[in-house]
Amino acid sequence: MQLFLNATSPYARVARIAALEKGLADRVELIWCDPWSDDEALLAVNPVGRVPALTTDDGTALVESPLIAMHLDAVGQGPDLVPGAQQSEVLHRAGLGQGLMEAAFNSVIGRKHQGAAADDSVLGQRRARAIARTLAALDNEVIEGGDNPDNRGTVTLGDIAVAVALDYLLFRMPEIDWQPRHPALADWHEAVIARESFRTTRFQ
Ligand SMILES: N[C@@H](CCC(=O)N[C@@H](CS)C(=O)NCC(=O)O)C(=O)O
């Protein structure tokens, strides 16, 4: 399999972590590329021109990080990233993680292309509110669920998506400074990112 990725994409990091968690490091060749420069090899696999993209063992091209992660979950080994018995709960959390990632990523891209005006725009303000609400909701869920990934020893696709989104906020939007306002979520995040799959895929 080949995984097209870059080092700053939160979506690509989700796919990479999924591959590591499923023991697929030796079966997934990493193809580093710049999606913003219309990389020809990437476009041949993904006409949309985004990372991550995965070519499977049978040559099928998969795009969209959650779909790639689900394929890796099926072909890899070890505990399921989307355990059948907790499917709705895990997909719920994966969706919040994906939404948080999108709000943050679109804010970062908006700033890159339009400067500070992007944050002041109607859409920028909506994204800021979405980020604030989602952080609060996740914090509540961690508190109410008594969720401690240390006790579980495993991670789900929901954990991966949320922890990567939180890490992306620290990496690209540190001014949000979410940890002091959401200490339970901050503890949860610390526990998840201590895993080797997170440590070896840090944003850079
Ligand atoms: N929904 C997609 C988002 C992928 C995405 O937006 N990737 C960014 C990098 S973080 C990209 O390649 N952008 C290039 C572009 O939009 O042209 C996923 O979950 O995989």
Side-chain angles (χ1 to χ4, degrees), residues 100-167:
L100 185 58
M101 219 178 286
E102 271 172 29
F105 177 72
N106 289 330
S107 296
V108 169
I109 294 302
R111 285 176 186 178
K112 189 170 156 194
H113 291 277
Q114 295 151 13
D119 285 344
D120 298 335
S121 69
V122 172
L123 289 179
Q125 295 288 312
R126 279 185 70 77
R127 286 191 298 255
R129 292 197 298 276
I131 290 171
R133 282 192 308 264
T134 309
L135 287 170
L138 287 167
D139 197 36
N140 262 341
E141 287 189 14
V142 166
I143 295 167
E144 282 174 11
D147 190 2
N148 181 347
D150 279 346
N151 296 341
R152 280 193 268 135
T154 58
V155 277
T156 67
L157 180 57
D159 299 326
I160 296 171
V162 169
V164 167
L166 293 173
D167 241 24

Coordinates of all heavy atoms in Angstrom, one line a residue, residues 100-167:
L100 N -13.9 19.3 14.2 CA -13.0 20.2 14.9 C -11.8 20.4 14.0 O -11.3 21.6 13.8 CB -12.6 19.6 16.2 CG -11.7 20.4 17.1 CD1 -12.4 21.7 17.5 CD2 -11.4 19.7 18.4
M101 N -11.3 19.4 13.4 CA -10.2 19.5 12.5 C -10.5 20.4 11.3 O -9.7 21.2 10.9 CB -9.9 18.0 12.0 CG -8.5 17.7 11.8 SD -8.4 15.9 11.3 CE -8.8 15.0 12.7
E102 N -11.7 20.2 10.7 CA -12.1 21.0 9.6 C -12.2 22.5 9.9 O -11.8 23.3 9.2 CB -13.5 20.5 9.0 CG -13.3 19.4 8.0 CD -14.6 18.8 7.6 OE1 -15.7 19.5 7.6 OE2 -14.6 17.6 7.2
A103 N -12.8 22.7 11.1 CA -13.0 24.2 11.5 C -11.6 24.8 11.7 O -11.4 25.9 11.2 CB -13.8 24.3 12.8
A104 N -10.7 24.1 12.3 CA -9.4 24.6 12.5 C -8.6 24.7 11.2 O -8.0 25.8 10.9 CB -8.6 23.7 13.5
F105 N -8.6 23.7 10.4 CA -7.9 23.7 9.2 C -8.4 24.8 8.3 O -7.6 25.5 7.7 CB -8.0 22.3 8.5 CG -7.3 22.2 7.2 CD1 -5.9 22.2 7.1 CD2 -8.1 22.2 6.0 CE1 -5.3 22.2 5.9 CE2 -7.4 22.2 4.8 CZ -6.1 22.1 4.7
N106 N -9.7 25.0 8.1 CA -10.2 26.0 7.3 C -9.9 27.4 7.8 O -9.6 28.3 7.0 CB -11.7 25.9 7.1 CG -12.0 24.6 6.2 OD1 -11.2 24.3 5.3 ND2 -13.2 24.0 6.5
S107 N -9.8 27.6 9.1 CA -9.3 28.9 9.7 C -7.9 29.1 9.3 O -7.5 30.2 8.9 CB -9.5 28.9 11.2 OG -10.9 28.7 11.5
V108 N -7.1 28.1 9.4 CA -5.6 28.2 9.1 C -5.4 28.6 7.6 O -4.7 29.5 7.3 CB -4.9 27.0 9.5 CG1 -3.4 27.0 9.0 CG2 -4.9 26.8 11.0
I109 N -6.2 27.9 6.8 CA -6.1 28.1 5.3 C -6.6 29.5 5.0 O -6.1 30.3 4.2 CB -6.8 27.0 4.5 CG1 -6.1 25.7 4.7 CG2 -6.9 27.4 3.0 CD1 -4.6 25.7 4.3
G110 N -7.7 29.9 5.7 CA -8.3 31.2 5.5 C -7.2 32.3 5.8 O -7.0 33.3 5.0
R111 N -6.5 32.2 6.9 CA -5.5 33.1 7.3 C -4.4 33.2 6.3 O -3.9 34.3 6.0 CB -4.9 32.7 8.7 CG -5.8 33.0 9.8 CD -5.1 32.5 11.1 NE -6.0 32.6 12.2 CZ -5.7 32.2 13.5 NH1 -4.6 31.6 13.7 NH2 -6.6 32.3 14.4
K112 N -4.0 32.0 5.8 CA -2.9 31.9 4.9 C -3.2 32.7 3.6 O -2.4 33.4 3.0 CB -2.6 30.5 4.5 CG -1.4 30.2 3.7 CD -1.1 28.7 3.7 CE -0.3 28.4 2.5 NZ -0.2 26.9 2.2
H113 N -4.5 32.7 3.2 CA -4.8 33.3 1.9 C -5.4 34.7 2.0 O -5.2 35.5 1.1 CB -5.8 32.4 1.1 CG -5.1 31.1 0.6 ND1 -4.4 31.1 -0.6 CD2 -5.1 29.9 1.2 CE1 -3.9 29.8 -0.7 NE2 -4.3 29.1 0.3
Q114 N -6.0 35.0 3.2 CA -6.7 36.3 3.3 C -6.2 37.1 4.5 O -6.7 38.2 4.8 CB -8.2 36.1 3.5 CG -8.9 35.5 2.3 CD -10.1 34.7 2.6 OE1 -10.6 34.8 3.8 NE2 -10.6 33.9 1.7
G115 N -5.2 36.5 5.2 CA -4.7 37.2 6.4 C -5.8 37.3 7.5 O -6.7 36.5 7.5
A116 N -5.6 38.3 8.4 CA -6.5 38.3 9.6 C -7.9 38.6 9.3 O -8.9 38.2 10.1 CB -6.0 39.5 10.5
A117 N -8.2 39.1 8.1 CA -9.6 39.3 7.7 C -10.4 38.1 7.7 O -11.6 38.1 7.9 CB -9.6 40.0 6.3
A118 N -9.7 36.9 7.4 CA -10.4 35.7 7.4 C -11.1 35.4 8.8 O -12.2 34.9 8.8 CB -9.5 34.5 7.0
D119 N -10.4 35.7 9.8 CA -10.9 35.4 11.2 C -12.1 36.3 11.5 O -13.0 36.0 12.2 CB -9.9 35.7 12.3 CG -8.8 34.6 12.3 OD1 -9.1 33.5 11.7 OD2 -7.8 34.8 12.9
D120 N -12.1 37.6 10.9 CA -13.2 38.5 11.2 C -14.4 38.3 10.3 O -15.5 38.9 10.6 CB -12.7 40.0 10.9 CG -11.5 40.3 11.9 OD1 -11.5 39.7 13.0 OD2 -10.7 41.2 11.5
S121 N -14.2 37.5 9.3 CA -15.4 37.3 8.4 C -16.5 36.5 9.1 O -16.3 35.9 10.1 CB -14.9 36.5 7.1 OG -14.6 35.2 7.5
V122 N -17.7 36.5 8.4 CA -18.8 35.8 9.0 C -18.4 34.3 9.2 O -18.7 33.7 10.2 CB -20.0 35.9 8.1 CG1 -21.2 35.0 8.6 CG2 -20.5 37.4 8.1
L123 N -17.8 33.7 8.1 CA -17.4 32.3 8.2 C -16.3 32.1 9.2 O -16.4 31.1 10.0 CB -16.9 31.8 6.8 CG -18.0 31.7 5.7 CD1 -17.4 31.2 4.4 CD2 -19.1 30.7 6.2
G124 N -15.4 33.0 9.3 CA -14.3 32.9 10.3 C -14.9 32.9 11.7 O -14.5 32.1 12.6
Q125 N -15.9 33.8 12.0 CA -16.5 33.8 13.3 C -17.3 32.6 13.6 O -17.3 32.1 14.7 CB -17.4 35.1 13.4 CG -16.7 36.4 13.2 CD -15.9 36.7 14.5 OE1 -16.5 36.6 15.6 NE2 -14.7 37.0 14.4
R126 N -18.0 32.0 12.6 CA -18.7 30.8 12.7 C -17.8 29.7 13.1 O -18.1 28.8 14.0 CB -19.5 30.4 11.5 CG -20.8 31.1 11.3 CD -21.5 30.6 10.0 NE -22.0 29.2 10.2 CZ -23.1 29.0 10.9 NH1 -23.8 29.9 11.5 NH2 -23.5 27.7 11.0
R127 N -16.6 29.6 12.4 CA -15.7 28.5 12.7 C -15.1 28.7 14.1 O -15.0 27.7 14.9 CB -14.5 28.6 11.7 CG -14.9 28.1 10.3 CD -13.7 27.9 9.5 NE -12.9 29.1 9.3 CZ -13.0 29.8 8.1 NH1 -13.7 29.4 7.1 NH2 -12.3 30.9 8.0
A128 N -14.9 29.9 14.6 CA -14.4 30.1 16.0 C -15.4 29.6 17.0 O -15.1 29.0 18.0 CB -14.0 31.6 16.2
R129 N -16.7 29.9 16.7 CA -17.7 29.5 17.6 C -17.8 27.9 17.6 O -18.0 27.3 18.6 CB -19.1 30.1 17.3 CG -19.1 31.6 17.6 CD -20.5 32.1 17.6 NE -21.3 32.0 16.4 CZ -21.2 32.8 15.3 NH1 -20.4 33.9 15.4 NH2 -21.9 32.6 14.2
A130 N -17.7 27.4 16.4 CA -17.8 25.9 16.3 C -16.6 25.3 17.1 O -16.8 24.2 17.8 CB -17.7 25.5 14.8
I131 N -15.5 25.8 17.0 CA -14.3 25.3 17.7 C -14.6 25.4 19.3 O -14.4 24.4 20.0 CB -13.0 26.0 17.4 CG1 -12.6 25.7 15.9 CG2 -11.9 25.7 18.3 CD1 -11.5 26.5 15.4
A132 N -15.1 26.5 19.7 CA -15.3 26.7 21.2 C -16.4 25.7 21.7 O -16.2 25.1 22.7 CB -15.7 28.2 21.4
R133 N -17.4 25.6 20.9 CA -18.5 24.7 21.3 C -18.1 23.2 21.3 O -18.4 22.5 22.2 CB -19.7 24.8 20.4 CG -20.6 26.0 20.6 CD -21.9 25.8 19.8 NE -21.7 25.5 18.4 CZ -21.7 26.4 17.4 NH1 -21.9 27.7 17.6 NH2 -21.5 26.0 16.1
T134 N -17.3 22.9 20.3 CA -16.9 21.4 20.2 C -15.9 21.1 21.3 O -15.9 20.0 21.9 CB -16.3 21.2 18.8 OG1 -17.2 21.6 17.8 CG2 -16.0 19.7 18.6
L135 N -15.0 22.0 21.6 CA -14.1 21.8 22.8 C -14.9 21.6 24.1 O -14.6 20.7 24.8 CB -13.1 23.0 22.9 CG -12.0 23.1 21.9 CD1 -11.3 24.4 22.0 CD2 -11.0 21.9 22.0
A136 N -15.9 22.4 24.3 CA -16.7 22.3 25.5 C -17.4 21.0 25.5 O -17.5 20.3 26.6 CB -17.6 23.5 25.6
A137 N -18.0 20.6 24.4 CA -18.7 19.3 24.3 C -17.8 18.2 24.6 O -18.2 17.2 25.3 CB -19.4 19.2 23.0
L138 N -16.6 18.2 24.0 CA -15.7 17.1 24.2 C -15.2 17.0 25.7 O -15.1 15.9 26.3 CB -14.5 17.2 23.3 CG -14.8 16.9 21.8 CD1 -13.6 17.4 20.9 CD2 -15.0 15.4 21.6
D139 N -15.0 18.2 26.3 CA -14.6 18.2 27.7 C -15.7 17.6 28.5 O -15.4 16.7 29.4 CB -14.4 19.7 28.0 CG -13.5 19.8 29.3 OD1 -12.6 19.0 29.6 OD2 -13.8 20.7 30.1
N140 N -16.9 17.9 28.3 CA -18.1 17.4 29.0 C -18.1 15.9 28.9 O -18.4 15.1 29.8 CB -19.4 17.9 28.5 CG -19.8 19.1 29.3 OD1 -19.4 19.2 30.5 ND2 -20.7 19.9 28.8
E141 N -17.9 15.4 27.6 CA -18.0 14.0 27.4 C -17.0 13.2 28.1 O -17.2 12.1 28.7 CB -17.9 13.7 25.9 CG -19.2 14.1 25.1 CD -19.2 13.7 23.7 OE1 -18.4 12.8 23.3 OE2 -20.0 14.2 22.9
V142 N -15.8 13.7 28.1 CA -14.7 13.1 28.8 C -15.0 13.0 30.3 O -14.8 12.0 31.0 CB -13.3 13.8 28.5 CG1 -12.2 13.3 29.5 CG2 -12.9 13.5 27.1
I143 N -15.5 14.1 30.9 CA -15.8 14.2 32.3 C -17.0 13.2 32.6 O -16.9 12.3 33.5 CB -16.2 15.6 32.7 CG1 -15.0 16.5 32.6 CG2 -16.7 15.6 34.2 CD1 -15.4 18.0 32.7
E144 N -18.1 13.3 31.8 CA -19.2 12.5 32.1 C -19.0 11.0 31.9 O -19.5 10.2 32.6 CB -20.4 12.9 31.3 CG -21.1 14.2 31.8 CD -22.1 14.8 30.9 OE1 -22.6 14.1 30.0 OE2 -22.6 15.9 31.2
G145 N -18.2 10.7 30.9 CA -17.9 9.3 30.6 C -16.8 8.7 31.4 O -16.5 7.5 31.4
G146 N -16.2 9.5 32.3 CA -15.1 9.1 33.1 C -14.0 8.4 32.2 O -13.4 7.4 32.6
D147 N -13.8 9.0 31.0 CA -13.0 8.3 30.0 C -11.5 8.5 30.3 O -11.0 9.6 30.2 CB -13.3 8.9 28.6 CG -12.7 8.1 27.5 OD1 -12.1 7.1 27.8 OD2 -12.9 8.4 26.4
N148 N -10.8 7.4 30.5 CA -9.4 7.4 30.7 C -8.7 6.4 29.8 O -8.8 5.2 30.0 CB -9.0 7.1 32.2 CG -7.6 7.2 32.4 OD1 -6.8 7.3 31.5 ND2 -7.2 7.2 33.7
P149 N -8.1 6.9 28.7 CA -7.5 5.9 27.7 C -6.4 5.1 28.3 O -6.2 4.0 27.8 CB -7.0 6.8 26.6 CG -7.1 8.2 27.0 CD -8.0 8.3 28.3
D150 N -5.8 5.5 29.4 CA -4.8 4.7 30.1 C -5.4 3.4 30.6 O -4.7 2.4 30.5 CB -4.2 5.5 31.3 CG -3.2 6.5 30.9 OD1 -2.7 6.4 29.7 OD2 -2.9 7.3 31.7
N151 N -6.6 3.5 31.0 CA -7.3 2.3 31.6 C -7.7 1.3 30.5 O -7.8 0.1 30.7 CB -8.5 2.7 32.4 CG -8.2 3.5 33.6 OD1 -7.0 3.5 34.0 ND2 -9.1 4.2 34.2
R152 N -7.9 1.9 29.3 CA -8.3 1.0 28.2 C -7.2 0.3 27.5 O -7.3 -0.8 27.0 CB -9.1 1.8 27.2 CG -10.5 2.1 27.5 CD -11.2 2.7 26.3 NE -11.1 4.1 26.2 CZ -10.9 4.8 25.1 NH1 -10.6 4.2 24.0 NH2 -10.8 6.1 25.2
G153 N -6.1 1.0 27.4 CA -4.9 0.4 26.7 C -5.0 0.4 25.2 O -4.1 0.1 24.5
T154 N -6.2 0.8 24.7 CA -6.4 0.8 23.2 C -6.9 2.2 22.8 O -7.4 2.9 23.6 CB -7.4 -0.3 22.7 OG1 -8.6 0.0 23.4 CG2 -6.9 -1.7 23.1
V155 N -6.8 2.5 21.5 CA -7.5 3.7 21.0 C -8.5 3.3 19.9 O -8.3 2.3 19.2 CB -6.5 4.7 20.5 CG1 -5.9 5.6 21.5 CG2 -5.5 4.1 19.5
T156 N -9.4 4.2 19.8 CA -10.4 4.0 18.7 C -10.2 5.1 17.6 O -9.4 6.0 17.9 CB -11.9 4.1 19.2 OG1 -12.0 5.5 19.6 CG2 -12.1 3.2 20.4
L157 N -10.9 5.0 16.5 CA -10.8 6.0 15.5 C -11.3 7.3 16.1 O -10.8 8.4 15.7 CB -11.7 5.6 14.3 CG -11.7 6.6 13.1 CD1 -10.3 6.9 12.6 CD2 -12.6 6.0 12.0
G158 N -12.3 7.3 17.0 CA -12.8 8.5 17.6 C -11.7 9.2 18.4 O -11.5 10.4 18.4
D159 N -10.9 8.4 19.2 CA -9.8 8.9 20.0 C -8.8 9.6 19.1 O -8.3 10.6 19.4 CB -9.1 7.8 20.8 CG -10.1 7.1 21.8 OD1 -10.9 7.8 22.4 OD2 -9.9 5.9 22.0
I160 N -8.5 8.8 18.0 CA -7.4 9.3 17.1 C -7.8 10.7 16.5 O -7.1 11.6 16.5 CB -7.1 8.3 16.0 CG1 -6.5 7.0 16.6 CG2 -6.1 8.9 15.0 CD1 -6.4 5.8 15.6
A161 N -9.0 10.7 16.0 CA -9.5 12.0 15.3 C -9.5 13.1 16.3 O -9.1 14.2 16.0 CB -10.9 11.7 14.7
V162 N -10.0 12.9 17.5 CA -10.1 14.0 18.5 C -8.7 14.5 18.9 O -8.4 15.6 19.0 CB -11.0 13.6 19.7 CG1 -10.9 14.7 20.8 CG2 -12.5 13.5 19.2
A163 N -7.9 13.5 19.3 CA -6.5 13.8 19.8 C -5.7 14.5 18.7 O -5.0 15.5 19.0 CB -5.8 12.6 20.3
V164 N -5.8 14.1 17.4 CA -5.1 14.8 16.4 C -5.7 16.2 16.2 O -4.9 17.2 16.0 CB -5.2 14.0 15.0 CG1 -4.7 14.8 13.9 CG2 -4.4 12.7 15.1
A165 N -7.0 16.4 16.2 CA -7.6 17.7 16.1 C -7.1 18.7 17.2 O -6.7 19.8 17.0 CB -9.1 17.6 16.1
L166 N -7.0 18.1 18.4 CA -6.6 18.9 19.6 C -5.1 19.3 19.4 O -4.7 20.4 19.7 CB -6.7 18.2 20.9 CG -8.2 17.9 21.3 CD1 -8.2 17.0 22.5 CD2 -8.9 19.2 21.6
D167 N -4.3 18.4 18.9 CA -2.9 18.6 18.7 C -2.7 19.7 17.5 O -1.8 20.5 17.6 CB -2.2 17.3 18.2 CG -1.1 16.9 19.2 OD1 -1.1 17.3 20.3 OD2 -0.2 16.2 18.7

